[in-house]
Amino acid sequence: MANPLRSEVIKLYKHLLYLGKDYPKGATYFKERLKCSFMKNKDVTDPEKIKALVKRGDFVIKELEALYYLRKYRTMKHRYYDDKHDK
Amino acid sequence: MSGRVLVGVKRVIDYAVKIRVKPDHSGVVTEGVKHSMNPFCEIAVEEAVKMKEKKLIKEVVAVSCGPQQVQETIRTALAMGADRGIHVEVSAKEYESLGPLQVSKIMAALARKEEAQLVILGKQAIDGDCNQTGQMTAALLDWPQGTFASEVTLEGGHVKVVREIDGGLETIKITTPAVLTADLRLNTPRYATLPNIMKAKKKKIANMKPADLGVELASKLEVLRVDEPPQRQAGVKVESVDDLVGKLKEAGRI
């Protein structure tokens, strides 16, 4: 089971797990889904396929970061700027 | 030019947390509540790091005042790309009365000590909403200030700052050293990723006391009472258009 991509997949999992702590629906909700989606592909052995999946994971990381930023930005805008009825 | 930028970061209750007032109205509940870096401070850090990436400056120093826990916030700033941190240690008890004036005295003293070229702060913190620290720091240093910045361009000994003012934008040109405060639209702060947080653990955080900087922390302000905002009144459902018109007339809207 010593796949050379193993460490990369674990790194991705850890990174996503860390990002999930701030997930709006809660860390537990995120964790369950994260585990499910990793387990779904546990039998994939083709290195090309694994690489593609890791790439997809990286994309999800980007999406999550964007989601958190937007959520924060919107809250701040709502709190400090929207009162003036922005155009 | 030293090429050094000092960035102030504040640890505040996380923006997504529902704030609760203590039963004795002396303040808000902070124990066991998630804290994070003030969103406007994140913008300030991002701007400094961006300047460094463009090689316009040489070093970004993140500063925070408060008890031991503020080191987490400094770590976050280091993970975002600051080079080193300065933790000005203020005991939890003193921290309660620490206001913008005391912090700006510390910032001013540090700016002199570190020979900073720029001091970048968030325009305000989401807990105290004071919006004073940047302005007072500039006054104490007798440096020019570019507040509510939504765009900053550093060119030689000058900074061009586009400021968000009521009803529009104002562009000013000031000489460095200067104090800038970041507004919401200045940039998009990057997320402190896990690998970067790990790497940030190797960066240095210097520890000092306000007394080392010759700053007296006594505050003349006293908080009398903290209250929750009034509860929003429930709405009413109307049966017909006539009802609606009647209600609106009653409320004096039409």
Side-chain angles (χ1 to χ4, degrees), chain A residues 34-51:
Chain A
L34 176 66
K35 191 164 181 189
C36 265
S37 49
F38 268 72
M39 287 315 264
K40 208 166 67 190
N41 294 315
K42 71 178 160 75
D43 296 324
V44 178
T45 44
D46 179 12
E48 285 308 311
K49 263 194 193 143
I50 296 178
K51 265 183 205 157

Side-chain angles (χ1 to χ4, degrees), chain A residues 5 8 11 19 37-38 55 57 65 70-71 73 87:
Chain A
L5 288 164
E8 217 169 297
K11 208 166 85 187
L19 275 172
S37 49
F38 268 72
K55 214 169 226 175
E65 285 176 5
L70 217 63
R71 188 162 172 255
Y73 177 85
K87 307 115 234 169

Side-chain angles (χ1 to χ4, degrees), chain B residues 73-82 190-201 203:
Chain B
T73 310
I74 299 176
R75 288 269 174 235
T76 313
L78 296 177
M80 286 173 75
R190 67 196 67 187
Y191 203 85
T193 57
L194 192 57
N196 284 345
I197 288 175
M198 292 304 171
K199 272 181 226 154
K201 288 194 172 146
K203 292 180 182 172

Side-chain angles (χ1 to χ4, degrees), chain A residues 18 22 72 79-81, chain B residues 15 34 42 129 183 191 197:
Chain A
Y18 165 77
D22 290 335
K72 197 181 276 183
R79 265 185 216 169
Y80 294 109
Y81 299 87
Chain B
Y15 78 101
K34 186 186 172 201
E42 284 179 352
D129 280 338
D183 211 319
Y191 203 85
I197 288 175

Side-chain angles (χ1 to χ4, degrees), chain B residues 22-37:
Chain B
K22 279 186 196 162
D24 64 353
H25 294 277
S26 64
V28 297
V29 179
T30 53
E31 289 84 21
V33 173
K34 186 186 172 201
H35 283 68
S36 55
M37 192 196 290

